[in-house]
Amino acid sequence: MAAPARLCRCLLPLLLAAMGAAAAAGTPGTVGCGCSAGRAAGDGREEAAQRYSAAAGGGRSGGQGPMVLIPAGVFTMGTQEPQIQQDGEGPARRVHLGSFYMDQYEVSNRDFESFVNATGYVTEAEKFGDSFVFEGMLSEAVKADIHQAVAAAPWWLPVKGASWRHPEGPDSSISSRMDHPVLHVSWNDALAFCRWAGKRLPTEAEWEYGCRGGLESRLFPWGNKLQPKGQHYANIWQGEFPTNNTAEDGYKGTAPVSAFPPNGYGLYNMVGNAWEWTSDWWAVHHSPQDLHNPQGPPSGTDRVKKGGSYMCHKSYCYRYRCAARSQNTPDSSASNLGFRCAASSAPGPR
């Protein structure tokens, strides 16, 4: 049975990720679901998020995690050696940024619960009644009730009742994962949280600068070797995707937001674990000229996400690199998609 329209809108960017292996091998391709890739911009959802910016006594959350001051500087954004051509990873360009603050950790389930308890916020996945979940994380009971499939990415299944509270559907819980990244949050949901906390989403340039941790033109936040001295530095897929995750890094799904060593700026899990939303609209053509505090295109249909997730493997989704990027429509949600916040000035007292 074909996926319904809303699920199809959400799935298209996920399907684009499935082209990673072909792109890495130099084989371009396109894939689609035969329907709209997303809602038109300006439908009021971003504006609706602003109502939460002043909630809970001025905004800042009691569950707000620590922020790190990222110093002003100049760095090389993107790469001259793109691994996934259609993602617009190049060209390499010099970017000048002022100082800013960035969450040391991804926003956790505990953080998001504080926000929901204070505001009564309902996520888009909860409103729609479904979200996408990786098949390997689902119980047999949940899979038995799913009668929709998308052949191009059969490991992604639309699950009724999947949301941040129930990441693998109604029979799952976050009770033992309060310190893991919140999942199934759309761009609009992430924006609402950040505004409530007195913060904002990072620009793509800020996110990539933060990811690099002071290193220049390296693949990963810690350098060019994936496992220096045999040590795991990120939560990604080991084994053969999508059938066998050996979990050599200790996790088959998400890991706590404080897992694995931080980068040079003290930021944790900048790659792997969960994809992270940025504020930028998606585009694949970039000027090679020097840029100062770029904000991305003025409009678009998809928003940029960075960092990859626990599902990423070099053979399938080699996007756990600082220069790598992907996109989703602002109302999309999935079981590997989260966020962290940024701020232009020092956060207030907790």
Side-chain angles (χ1 to χ4, degrees):
M1 181 184 296
R6 185 261 159 183
L7 294 175
C8 204
R9 283 194 293 268
C10 176
L11 185 59
L12 178 56
L14 296 174
L15 293 179
L16 291 175
M19 298 189 302
T27 305
T30 58
V31 64
C33 62
C35 63
S36 172
R39 291 182 178 82
D43 66 355
R45 294 179 182 272
E46 180 175 340
E47 291 80 357
Q50 296 186 36
R51 78 183 68 172
Y52 299 96
S53 63
R60 288 203 161 85
S61 161
Q64 172 184 321
M67 301 195 84
V68 173
L69 174 62
I70 309 299
V74 185
F75 80 108
T76 301
M77 184 174 180
T79 176
Q80 287 299 102
E81 299 178 350
Q83 300 296 308
I84 304 176
Q85 296 287 342
Q86 77 272 13
D87 281 358
E89 295 178 0
R93 58 265 189 207
R94 298 294 284 172
V95 172
H96 304 248
L97 291 175
S99 63
F100 63 98
Y101 290 81
M102 200 164 193
D103 282 352
Q104 188 169 23
Y105 308 110
E106 295 161 313
V107 172
S108 70
N109 285 314
R110 181 174 291 108
D111 296 330
F112 202 77
E113 183 180 64
S114 295
F115 162 59
V116 170
N117 287 345
T119 64
Y121 186 84
V122 179
T123 63
E124 294 198 285
E126 291 171 299
K127 292 176 183 176
F128 286 125
D130 55 57
S131 189
F132 271 93
V133 181
F134 173 58
E135 180 185 21
M137 305 299 291
L138 294 174
S139 69
E140 292 302 318
V142 169
K143 286 191 283 188
D145 285 337
I146 298 173
H147 306 291
Q148 298 159 339
V150 181
W155 49 85
W156 279 116
L157 297 178
V159 177
K160 292 180 180 179
S163 70
W164 74 274
R165 292 185 189 273
H166 306 287
E168 293 83 47
D171 64 350
S172 64
S173 168
I174 58 171
S175 61
S176 64
R177 292 177 279 179
M178 297 304 290
D179 60 346
H180 287 226
V182 65
L183 305 174
H184 296 288
V185 283
S186 70
W187 185 90
N188 297 306
D189 299 331
L191 180 67
F193 175 97
C194 290
R195 284 178 167 167
W196 169 74
K199 306 178 187 180
R200 58 177 174 80
L201 285 169
T203 66
E204 181 180 7
E206 287 174 337
W207 192 99
E208 186 168 327
Y209 182 53
C211 179
R212 294 185 180 280
L215 301 179
E216 179 69 11
S217 300
R218 297 295 190 268
L219 289 172
F220 311 115
W222 54 87
N224 283 330
K225 290 187 176 181
L226 180 60
Q227 293 178 239
K229 298 181 179 179
Q231 182 177 0
H232 291 282
Y233 276 70
N235 179 17
I236 58 175
W237 189 283
Q238 291 91 40
E240 184 176 346
F241 186 87
T243 57
N244 180 36
N245 184 356
T246 62
E248 293 169 20
D249 57 21
Y251 303 94
K252 283 195 173 182
T254 56
V257 298
S258 59
F260 303 99
N263 71 3
Y265 288 148
L267 302 175
Y268 288 76
N269 287 294
M270 289 299 291
V271 297
N273 217 23
W275 281 101
E276 299 181 15
W277 289 110
T278 75
S279 63
D280 287 29
W281 289 108
W282 173 261
V284 295
H285 301 292
H286 313 288
S287 169
Q289 304 301 315
D290 281 22
L291 298 171
H292 293 260
N293 297 307
Q295 304 293 309
S299 63
T301 57
D302 294 351
R303 295 285 185 174
V304 176
K305 62 180 184 179
K306 299 278 285 185
S309 78
Y310 66 89
M311 291 175 59
C312 283
H313 186 276
K314 189 172 184 179
S315 68
Y316 153 70
C317 179
Y318 189 32
R319 291 181 172 90
Y320 46 90
R321 296 168 290 113
C322 293
R325 56 203 301 270
S326 191
Q327 89 278 19
N328 278 100
T329 57
D331 63 345
S332 294
S333 60
S335 62
N336 65 345
L337 181 52
F339 69 104
R340 77 178 70 211
C341 304
S344 301
S345 58
R350 295 180 60 182

